[in-house]
Amino acid sequence: MKKTVFSLLVIVFPSTITTISQNSLTLETSLPRDSDEIIKQQISFCSPGKAGTDITWDFRDSKFLNEVQCTYYKGNWDSIFCMQQCGTIYKYKLSKDSLLFLGYENPTTQIKFTPAPPILRYPFNYGDTLTTSFIGSGGYSHIYALRAYGKIRTTIDATGILLLPDCDTLHNVMRLHRREIIGQQLSPSGFFDQCLDSLNIDRKLQNDSVTWQVDTYQWYLPGYRYPVLESIENTITQKEVPKRHFCQSTLFLPEAQEILESDTENNYIREQTYFSQESVHSKEITSPENKLSDKFSISCQIDPINHIISIQYNLYQNTTVEILLASISGMVLYHEPPQTKSSGFYSSEVSFDQLPGNEFILTAIIDDKCKSWKIKK
């Protein structure tokens, strides 16, 4: 039987929230939006590795699997906001600076949490931790009463560089780690043998013969509303013996997120990142030590109708030339490798009609100097 994230009764609190701006999860740039639909590509499992700063996560050898995961968002954050994923509907509400998890339902299971536990607060920075307990009641298979309870600990525990398959190096990445310890009970009569509250949940979990631990790791890139990578591990502990139940990883790459409509806040962050890089490039080009006019002249023309970029450059001496077209996140979409060319006039054309995303950075590298342009479809 195919294993999914939501196996049997196990609760997985999906992080519907977050994106990162200046080393922080912010309310303005992170909440999912009504009517957003995202498709995540499943890949071979990416083991999360250690916590800390300046970490390098190298997942370039992960394999793409023949499976995707679709997520749909609908609702109003002031009342009920829903996320539908893997056949389950999750319900949330925003209360001041806290995101509350109201409950979830699918054809076999319904759970309502009372009170609704906060699973994130804003802003949330590297090193911040939020710990809470939860108690939920509902039903299973329209026959049994169901009670679920446990503890949730959420922290941003790592920052660094992320390397993904078929993607360039992603910098300034932050990782969120959420750990849930879950217990559950079924009752055909609707009655349970013990009253539960936040004070005795720990003792109840320690005495349970079976508990579930769900670890969710999410990697976020500045200027993107949703995580670019997510890894989930589910471990069952029975009679104090832990055993991995399942694990999976999914990608929602930056260029796929760039096609989301009207994400003004994150577009601004991406543009600021680009202009910061452009400022560095401009300083290199105009520096008195780099007399570029003695080596070459260069210009760029854009045909917005046919989506063609034309680069013209005139070399005054034998020079090495390299041309790249990349997404805003830095993923290379087109590359002319370095070639040594003799003096003379040259022209290169690049079509961006079929490329993913709406914004690109075109870079020409001549000797050790570079010139960049921002391109929009």
Side-chain angles (χ1 to χ4, degrees), residues 250-263:
T250 54
L251 291 177
F252 188 30
L253 291 174
E255 63 270 18
Q257 298 196 41
E258 288 171 13
I259 65 175
L260 293 174
E261 295 183 0
S262 305
D263 196 353

PDB file of all heavy atoms in Angstrom, residues 250-263:
ATOM      1  N   THR A 250      10.253  16.891  -0.474  1.00  0.00           N
ATOM      2  CA  THR A 250       9.628  17.519  -1.640  1.00  0.00           C
ATOM      3  C   THR A 250      10.302  18.858  -1.923  1.00  0.00           C
ATOM      4  O   THR A 250      10.780  19.539  -1.009  1.00  0.00           O
ATOM      5  CB  THR A 250       8.120  17.746  -1.432  1.00  0.00           C
ATOM      6  OG1 THR A 250       7.916  18.488  -0.210  1.00  0.00           O
ATOM      7  CG2 THR A 250       7.368  16.431  -1.353  1.00  0.00           C
ATOM      8  N   LEU A 251      10.315  19.221  -3.208  1.00  0.00           N
ATOM      9  CA  LEU A 251      10.890  20.482  -3.671  1.00  0.00           C
ATOM     10  C   LEU A 251       9.794  21.400  -4.191  1.00  0.00           C
ATOM     11  O   LEU A 251       8.848  20.953  -4.863  1.00  0.00           O
ATOM     12  CB  LEU A 251      11.877  20.235  -4.817  1.00  0.00           C
ATOM     13  CG  LEU A 251      13.195  19.528  -4.536  1.00  0.00           C
ATOM     14  CD1 LEU A 251      13.955  19.332  -5.843  1.00  0.00           C
ATOM     15  CD2 LEU A 251      14.034  20.319  -3.545  1.00  0.00           C
ATOM     16  N   PHE A 252       9.944  22.694  -3.885  1.00  0.00           N
ATOM     17  CA  PHE A 252       9.159  23.731  -4.555  1.00  0.00           C
ATOM     18  C   PHE A 252      10.150  24.823  -4.921  1.00  0.00           C
ATOM     19  O   PHE A 252      10.326  25.802  -4.213  1.00  0.00           O
ATOM     20  CB  PHE A 252       8.047  24.252  -3.655  1.00  0.00           C
ATOM     21  CG  PHE A 252       7.085  25.187  -4.341  1.00  0.00           C
ATOM     22  CD1 PHE A 252       6.820  25.073  -5.704  1.00  0.00           C
ATOM     23  CD2 PHE A 252       6.433  26.167  -3.631  1.00  0.00           C
ATOM     24  CE1 PHE A 252       5.939  25.924  -6.340  1.00  0.00           C
ATOM     25  CE2 PHE A 252       5.534  27.024  -4.253  1.00  0.00           C
ATOM     26  CZ  PHE A 252       5.289  26.905  -5.603  1.00  0.00           C
ATOM     27  N   LEU A 253      10.848  24.620  -6.043  1.00  0.00           N
ATOM     28  CA  LEU A 253      12.016  25.411  -6.411  1.00  0.00           C
ATOM     29  C   LEU A 253      11.683  26.883  -6.643  1.00  0.00           C
ATOM     30  O   LEU A 253      10.540  27.225  -6.970  1.00  0.00           O
ATOM     31  CB  LEU A 253      12.670  24.816  -7.658  1.00  0.00           C
ATOM     32  CG  LEU A 253      13.357  23.454  -7.459  1.00  0.00           C
ATOM     33  CD1 LEU A 253      13.826  22.900  -8.783  1.00  0.00           C
ATOM     34  CD2 LEU A 253      14.515  23.560  -6.476  1.00  0.00           C
ATOM     35  N   PRO A 254      12.675  27.760  -6.489  1.00  0.00           N
ATOM     36  CA  PRO A 254      12.428  29.200  -6.632  1.00  0.00           C
ATOM     37  C   PRO A 254      11.783  29.582  -7.952  1.00  0.00           C
ATOM     38  O   PRO A 254      10.853  30.403  -7.976  1.00  0.00           O
ATOM     39  CB  PRO A 254      13.835  29.805  -6.504  1.00  0.00           C
ATOM     40  CG  PRO A 254      14.571  28.846  -5.646  1.00  0.00           C
ATOM     41  CD  PRO A 254      14.060  27.483  -6.048  1.00  0.00           C
ATOM     42  N   GLU A 255      12.268  29.020  -9.072  1.00  0.00           N
ATOM     43  CA  GLU A 255      11.699  29.433 -10.360  1.00  0.00           C
ATOM     44  C   GLU A 255      10.240  29.051 -10.483  1.00  0.00           C
ATOM     45  O   GLU A 255       9.459  29.708 -11.189  1.00  0.00           O
ATOM     46  CB  GLU A 255      12.507  28.852 -11.526  1.00  0.00           C
ATOM     47  CG  GLU A 255      12.518  27.332 -11.600  1.00  0.00           C
ATOM     48  CD  GLU A 255      13.662  26.739 -10.826  1.00  0.00           C
ATOM     49  OE1 GLU A 255      14.236  27.432  -9.964  1.00  0.00           O
ATOM     50  OE2 GLU A 255      13.987  25.562 -11.087  1.00  0.00           O
ATOM     51  N   ALA A 256       9.805  27.984  -9.802  1.00  0.00           N
ATOM     52  CA  ALA A 256       8.389  27.617  -9.807  1.00  0.00           C
ATOM     53  C   ALA A 256       7.575  28.605  -8.982  1.00  0.00           C
ATOM     54  O   ALA A 256       6.415  28.901  -9.311  1.00  0.00           O
ATOM     55  CB  ALA A 256       8.210  26.199  -9.267  1.00  0.00           C
ATOM     56  N   GLN A 257       8.162  29.148  -7.923  1.00  0.00           N
ATOM     57  CA  GLN A 257       7.446  30.109  -7.088  1.00  0.00           C
ATOM     58  C   GLN A 257       7.351  31.479  -7.742  1.00  0.00           C
ATOM     59  O   GLN A 257       6.451  32.261  -7.415  1.00  0.00           O
ATOM     60  CB  GLN A 257       8.124  30.224  -5.726  1.00  0.00           C
ATOM     61  CG  GLN A 257       8.125  28.930  -4.933  1.00  0.00           C
ATOM     62  CD  GLN A 257       8.448  29.134  -3.471  1.00  0.00           C
ATOM     63  OE1 GLN A 257       7.988  30.083  -2.849  1.00  0.00           O
ATOM     64  NE2 GLN A 257       9.235  28.226  -2.911  1.00  0.00           N
ATOM     65  N   GLU A 258       8.257  31.783  -8.649  1.00  0.00           N
ATOM     66  CA  GLU A 258       8.265  33.099  -9.274  1.00  0.00           C
ATOM     67  C   GLU A 258       7.047  33.341 -10.160  1.00  0.00           C
ATOM     68  O   GLU A 258       6.730  34.478 -10.493  1.00  0.00           O
ATOM     69  CB  GLU A 258       9.550  33.284 -10.084  1.00  0.00           C
ATOM     70  CG  GLU A 258      10.778  33.458  -9.206  1.00  0.00           C
ATOM     71  CD  GLU A 258      12.067  33.432 -10.008  1.00  0.00           C
ATOM     72  OE1 GLU A 258      12.001  33.521 -11.245  1.00  0.00           O
ATOM     73  OE2 GLU A 258      13.141  33.321  -9.389  1.00  0.00           O
ATOM     74  N   ILE A 259       6.350  32.277 -10.549  1.00  0.00           N
ATOM     75  CA  ILE A 259       5.174  32.449 -11.404  1.00  0.00           C
ATOM     76  C   ILE A 259       3.909  32.668 -10.590  1.00  0.00           C
ATOM     77  O   ILE A 259       2.841  32.886 -11.159  1.00  0.00           O
ATOM     78  CB  ILE A 259       4.982  31.238 -12.344  1.00  0.00           C
ATOM     79  CG1 ILE A 259       4.668  29.965 -11.545  1.00  0.00           C
ATOM     80  CG2 ILE A 259       6.204  31.043 -13.220  1.00  0.00           C
ATOM     81  CD1 ILE A 259       4.348  28.768 -12.428  1.00  0.00           C
ATOM     82  N   LEU A 260       3.980  32.631  -9.246  1.00  0.00           N
ATOM     83  CA  LEU A 260       2.814  32.953  -8.432  1.00  0.00           C
ATOM     84  C   LEU A 260       2.417  34.401  -8.686  1.00  0.00           C
ATOM     85  O   LEU A 260       3.256  35.297  -8.757  1.00  0.00           O
ATOM     86  CB  LEU A 260       3.132  32.753  -6.951  1.00  0.00           C
ATOM     87  CG  LEU A 260       3.391  31.313  -6.499  1.00  0.00           C
ATOM     88  CD1 LEU A 260       3.835  31.299  -5.041  1.00  0.00           C
ATOM     89  CD2 LEU A 260       2.161  30.444  -6.681  1.00  0.00           C
ATOM     90  N   GLU A 261       1.134  34.648  -8.813  1.00  0.00           N
ATOM     91  CA  GLU A 261       0.657  35.964  -9.221  1.00  0.00           C
ATOM     92  C   GLU A 261       0.710  36.975  -8.075  1.00  0.00           C
ATOM     93  O   GLU A 261       0.396  36.662  -6.935  1.00  0.00           O
ATOM     94  CB  GLU A 261      -0.782  35.860  -9.742  1.00  0.00           C
ATOM     95  CG  GLU A 261      -0.918  35.043 -11.025  1.00  0.00           C
ATOM     96  CD  GLU A 261      -2.331  35.025 -11.544  1.00  0.00           C
ATOM     97  OE1 GLU A 261      -3.198  35.653 -10.907  1.00  0.00           O
ATOM     98  OE2 GLU A 261      -2.570  34.390 -12.585  1.00  0.00           O
ATOM     99  N   SER A 262       1.124  38.189  -8.422  1.00  0.00           N
ATOM    100  CA  SER A 262       0.977  39.371  -7.565  1.00  0.00           C
ATOM    101  C   SER A 262       1.557  39.202  -6.175  1.00  0.00           C
ATOM    102  O   SER A 262       0.970  39.643  -5.182  1.00  0.00           O
ATOM    103  CB  SER A 262      -0.518  39.749  -7.454  1.00  0.00           C
ATOM    104  OG  SER A 262      -1.082  39.939  -8.724  1.00  0.00           O
ATOM    105  N   ASP A 263       2.713  38.583  -6.065  1.00  0.00           N
ATOM    106  CA  ASP A 263       3.374  38.467  -4.769  1.00  0.00           C
ATOM    107  C   ASP A 263       4.303  39.664  -4.601  1.00  0.00           C
ATOM    108  O   ASP A 263       5.531  39.563  -4.648  1.00  0.00           O
ATOM    109  CB  ASP A 263       4.140  37.154  -4.668  1.00  0.00           C
ATOM    110  CG  ASP A 263       4.523  36.813  -3.236  1.00  0.00           C
ATOM    111  OD1 ASP A 263       4.294  37.667  -2.364  1.00  0.00           O
ATOM    112  OD2 ASP A 263       5.027  35.707  -2.995  1.00  0.00           O
TER     113      ASP A 263
END
